[in-house]
Amino acid sequence: NIIDGAVVTRMSEQDKSKSKTFVAQSIEEIKSAKTSKYCSTHPLSALKELKKFSNDHKFAFVGLPCHIHGLRKIQEQEQFLKDKIILTVGLLCTHAVNYSGTNLILDKFGSGKKNLKRMQYRGKGWPGSAVIDYDHKQISIPLSDYWNPYFGPYFFTPYRCLSCSDLTAELADISLGDAWLKEIEAEDELGSSIVISRTNFSEKILKDMADNNLLYLEEISKDRLKESQANIIVRKKV
């Protein structure tokens, strides 16, 4: 009962290999946007959809650090977005991957885009696997098998990502990302995430969720945060 909808991103129903940003207005729609999207995403393109809603409707916005940067700049010019978007959730990001990366994964591990039913980059626990569904078969690819040799080395990275220093979406109210810490790196069904809260409002939301057993929170130090992102910290700031 805090928001009426959220700007989120899921895979497109028309082209299963591409993403689509939309305004989710139900729990089911928000769940349809779960898990990482290691492809081009465009959350800012959905902002114009918010004009269709009355002034008293409130929304959350989920995006990468660069998307949060763009939103903040637009909010400086568009008062209705200041009023309607009351919560921003930023995703920790080392760099984006363009659609050429997805096409390579589909060609190398699957059967290309023909008869593709579903493309999911993360799932099946943590750290998880990519899942490619075709008409008569499903292919599962451990994260390390495709991220480390293909996505991680910046082969399919937009040039702008190379000059970005914002790892933690520092302009977001809440930031979320993988917690790569030794004591929790074992594979499990859920995994643990870094959660960075920057406002009293977001802090209250997290506390209320914890009080209602919707999530479990454990405070860590800034040094532990840096440790959890040690592989990328040399190129980004926290």
Side-chain angles (χ1 to χ4, degrees):
N1 299 318
I2 296 175
I3 58 173
D4 300 287
V7 177
V8 292
T9 301
R10 64 186 174 194
M11 300 307 287
S12 171
E13 296 178 356
Q14 287 71 40
D15 186 340
K16 302 298 193 302
S17 68
K18 295 186 176 181
S19 69
K20 178 181 179 180
T21 297
F22 70 108
V23 181
Q25 299 179 67
S26 68
I27 293 174
E28 291 73 22
E29 286 184 330
I30 287 179
K31 286 183 177 179
S32 75
K34 67 180 181 179
T35 76
S36 300
K37 310 295 183 299
Y38 295 142
C39 61
S40 297
T41 58
H42 309 281
L44 296 175
S45 65
L47 294 181
K48 59 181 178 295
E49 296 294 321
L50 301 186
K51 290 185 176 181
K52 299 178 181 179
F53 297 89
S54 62
N55 293 334
D56 59 342
H57 279 69
K58 305 301 180 184
F59 299 89
F61 178 94
V62 182
L64 301 176
C66 54
H67 301 141
I68 303 295
H69 290 180
L71 173 65
R72 295 308 191 200
K73 288 182 177 293
I74 296 173
Q75 285 180 317
E76 291 178 357
Q77 305 296 324
E78 299 288 351
Q79 184 63 42
F80 87 96
L81 289 178
K82 271 189 176 181
D83 297 335
K84 286 189 174 182
I85 297 179
I86 62 170
L87 180 68
T88 56
V89 180
L91 308 177
L92 271 64
C93 180
T94 62
H95 59 277
V97 181
N98 62 36
Y99 285 126
S100 296
T102 298
N103 293 336
L104 179 140
I105 297 304
L106 291 173
D107 290 339
K108 183 171 183 62
F109 295 97
S111 305
K113 295 173 63 173
K114 187 176 181 180
N115 298 321
L116 178 66
K117 296 300 181 183
R118 180 175 66 130
M119 177 68 197
Q120 180 175 302
Y121 298 89
R122 295 282 292 274
K124 294 189 174 183
W126 189 91
S129 303
V131 176
I132 306 173
D133 281 334
Y134 292 100
D135 284 333
H136 304 295
K137 65 178 177 179
Q138 182 180 90
I139 300 168
S140 180
I141 315 162
L143 176 66
S144 59
D145 285 4
Y146 74 90
W147 181 270
N148 293 351
Y150 303 114
F151 288 3
Y154 295 84
F155 289 133
F156 305 101
T157 301
Y159 179 77
R160 176 62 180 84
C161 293
L162 302 180
S163 61
C164 174
S165 62
D166 187 1
L167 168 66
T168 60
E170 59 189 27
L171 298 183
D173 299 314
I174 298 176
S175 295
L176 306 172
D178 287 311
W180 298 102
L181 294 169
K182 292 180 180 179
E183 67 269 26
I184 58 175
E185 279 193 1
E187 292 189 16
D188 60 53
E189 294 183 357
L190 295 177
S192 299
S193 294
I194 294 293
V195 181
I196 304 172
S197 175
R198 297 188 178 88
T199 66
N200 292 334
F201 180 53
S202 61
E203 191 74 11
K204 182 180 184 305
I205 290 174
L206 292 171
K207 184 179 184 302
D208 289 346
M209 292 180 70
D211 289 345
N212 287 282
N213 296 318
L214 296 174
L215 51 75
Y216 169 75
L217 294 175
E218 178 181 340
E219 187 173 354
I220 64 172
S221 67
K222 292 181 180 179
D223 287 339
R224 294 291 282 151
L225 168 61
K226 293 178 181 179
E227 183 182 340
S228 77
Q229 308 299 314
N231 290 335
I232 192 63
I233 204 72
V234 295
R235 299 190 295 279
K236 301 272 187 175
K237 65 178 180 178
V238 172

